[in-house]
Amino acid sequence: MAGRTARLVLLAGVATLASGSQGDREPVYRDCVLRCEERNCSGDALKHFRSRQPIYMSLAGWTCQDDCKYECMWVTVGLYLQEGHKVPQFHGKVSLNAWFWSTVFHTKDTDLTEKMDYFCASTVILHSIYLCCVRTVGLQRPTVASAFRAVLLLLLTAHVSYLSLVRFDYGYNLAANVAIGLVNLVWWLAWCLWNRQQLPHVRKCMAVVLLLQGLSLLELLDFPPLFWVLDAHAIWHISTIPVHVLFFSFLEEDSLYLLKGSKLD
């Protein structure tokens, strides 16, 4: 135990110099996972694990190795709390498309499901920018909207290709999505402010983009999950649900406005 404590203290002292997830680089965690896999993930022990595994976990692809990582995460968390340290982050997150792949990814974390979740999230943001272009420019200049769509597709292709074929860089992916999100925010807000007198329903759109941008700050935060269930990422997912209801209300009113205008023409 003394050796474990010493390693924890050493890790806490140099954590600020490291990158990535602190918890899964902790020697105590790695040793625990190694011993658990040797003890439980082969031979009769593996058969026993599979025989007592709930069917829903089996269908989700939860393996013995996954179970070891999960159990050892809590062992490491317990040691950190015992020594008075903050709860470390594991595997790029604390706990526990776009919504479909997000659900799949949070059900089973693999390289494929992680990439699909990230790529679909980027696609949603780019699609929002495209919708903004269509609404603000494309109705009068459809060729501009078409050209802009081609540019966005090229950007998405380059983004996905780099992360898939060169290097899956979490920092770059975060920076790229923040930049895209800011463009989306500024463009929508500028249009809403310009038309707020003529189109009162754009206030809903303003509220949506401001709320989404504010809630996205949860993605930049990192704190131990509330009740060991709700971390910043989970709270962000939950909080965006009513915002999309508000956005649909804006789209409905805006569509009716455009439909009325087309009939008058």
Side-chain angles (χ1 to χ4, degrees), residues 10-230:
L10 177 63
L11 176 68
V14 300
T16 56
L17 301 178
S19 60
S21 300
Q22 178 180 337
D24 48 278
R25 292 194 320 276
E26 161 59 36
V28 172
Y29 169 79
R30 293 189 176 188
D31 291 344
C32 175
V33 172
L34 181 61
R35 290 196 304 271
C36 177
E37 291 181 351
E38 291 176 348
R39 184 174 62 251
N40 300 325
C41 299
S42 61
D44 292 337
L46 179 59
K47 293 180 181 179
H48 176 68
F49 168 80
R50 289 173 176 170
S51 67
R52 63 182 177 84
Q53 184 181 36
I55 184 65
Y56 68 89
M57 296 185 72
S58 177
L59 292 174
W62 188 263
T63 66
C64 180
Q65 288 77 12
D66 293 328
D67 201 65
C68 284
K69 292 177 181 178
Y70 179 78
E71 294 297 332
C72 290
M73 177 186 71
W74 288 113
V75 170
T76 308
V77 166
L79 288 173
Y80 266 75
L81 293 177
Q82 180 181 333
E83 297 300 323
H85 302 301
K86 293 182 179 180
V87 176
Q89 189 184 60
F90 288 86
H91 306 294
K93 49 203 162 292
V94 176
S95 70
L96 309 90
N97 169 76
W99 285 8
F100 170 77
W101 279 109
S102 180
T103 301
V104 172
F105 170 57
H106 287 82
T107 302
K108 177 61 177 175
D109 183 351
T110 67
D111 287 342
L112 175 61
T113 59
E114 180 182 50
K115 286 184 173 61
M116 291 303 298
D117 178 46
Y118 281 37
F119 296 161
C120 288
S122 299
T123 303
V124 167
I125 302 174
L126 288 172
H127 187 257
S128 179
I129 295 179
Y130 173 66
L131 287 178
C132 185
C133 176
V134 170
R135 181 62 183 90
T136 60
V137 179
L139 296 179
Q140 293 78 30
R141 301 177 180 85
T143 55
V144 174
S146 297
F148 187 68
R149 177 179 58 187
V151 172
L152 292 179
L153 288 173
L154 287 175
L155 289 175
L156 179 62
T157 301
H159 180 71
V160 171
S161 298
Y162 173 75
L163 292 176
S164 300
L165 304 177
V166 180
R167 178 189 174 206
F168 198 88
D169 188 329
Y170 292 94
Y172 156 74
N173 182 73
L174 177 62
N177 281 288
V178 168
I180 296 171
L182 288 175
V183 172
N184 186 55
L185 169 71
V186 171
W187 196 341
W188 273 115
L189 276 183
W191 177 78
C192 289
L193 290 171
W194 184 265
N195 292 277
R196 67 184 184 280
Q197 299 297 332
Q198 179 185 359
L199 308 174
H201 61 271
V202 301
R203 295 171 184 171
K204 293 183 178 180
C205 182
M206 291 178 61
V208 167
V209 294
L210 289 174
L211 283 171
L212 287 178
Q213 199 66 26
L215 292 172
S216 66
L217 295 177
L218 288 169
E219 290 287 79
L220 304 179
L221 299 177
D222 182 22
F223 53 80
L226 304 175
F227 312 109
W228 299 117
V229 175
L230 296 175

